[in-house]
Amino acid sequence: MRVLFVSYAEKTHFLGMVPLAWALRAAGHEVVVASQPELMPTVASTGLPGVPLGRDHRMAEVNRAVRLMGGAGARGFDLMSDAPEDTTAERLRHGYQHELLPLWWKVVNDPWVAELVGFCRWWGPDLVLWEPVS
């Protein structure tokens, strides 16, 4: 079986997938890791084969610029907050629509999603496992 592991270029998001990838590989499955070019040295250090796709994200730069401008994200949407003012439907909706989606998930995925889809169509994995942000 062909198994594709997908993670955007953040070591902490990828490294938790490595034991499962190796277990599948040890069981005889063909395993490949797809990510942005910046993660490829980390992928190589795990001994797993990797394919670099798209271009690296610029999440840190985007978030830094947004905070300097005082725009969305300046307050810092915190998914783990249990403060009453942070758990209203309005605050959660605003956090997702104006902070998480455009300033995190879109920033890290837009630079490579088209090439990822192209690779999947070409390679034809039987199973795709991804970390939640990718």
Side-chain angles (χ1 to χ4, degrees):
M1 177 169 62
R2 287 184 166 180
V3 183
L4 180 65
F5 280 79
V6 177
S7 176
Y8 78 101
E10 281 298 321
K11 290 178 187 179
T12 56
H13 288 252
F14 165 66
L15 290 175
M17 304 170 80
V18 173
L20 179 58
W22 267 106
L24 289 166
R25 190 168 173 168
H29 301 290
E30 189 176 356
V31 173
V32 171
V33 176
S35 187
Q36 295 155 316
E38 183 180 332
L39 192 66
M40 288 300 109
T42 300
V43 173
S45 74
T46 68
L48 294 166
V51 58
L53 300 171
R55 60 180 167 75
D56 294 322
H57 66 77
R58 297 174 55 202
M59 182 175 63
E61 293 172 49
V62 169
N63 286 335
R64 188 169 30 260
V66 167
R67 283 184 175 76
L68 288 173
M69 294 184 304
R75 181 171 177 267
F77 180 61
D78 183 0
L79 281 174
M80 301 305 292
S81 174
D82 60 359
E85 65 272 13
D86 289 337
T87 56
T88 65
E90 181 180 323
R91 177 67 181 133
L92 292 171
R93 188 177 309 106
H94 181 273
Y96 273 91
Q97 291 176 345
H98 300 286
E99 296 180 41
L100 286 181
L101 291 176
L103 299 177
W104 184 6
W105 295 331
K106 184 176 182 178
V107 169
V108 300
N109 289 303
D110 273 4
W112 71 300
V113 72
E115 286 190 28
L116 175 62
V117 170
F119 178 76
C120 287
R121 288 183 175 152
W122 172 81
W123 192 56
D126 300 298
L127 177 64
V128 178
L129 300 170
W130 65 93
E131 61 80 40
V133 178
S134 296

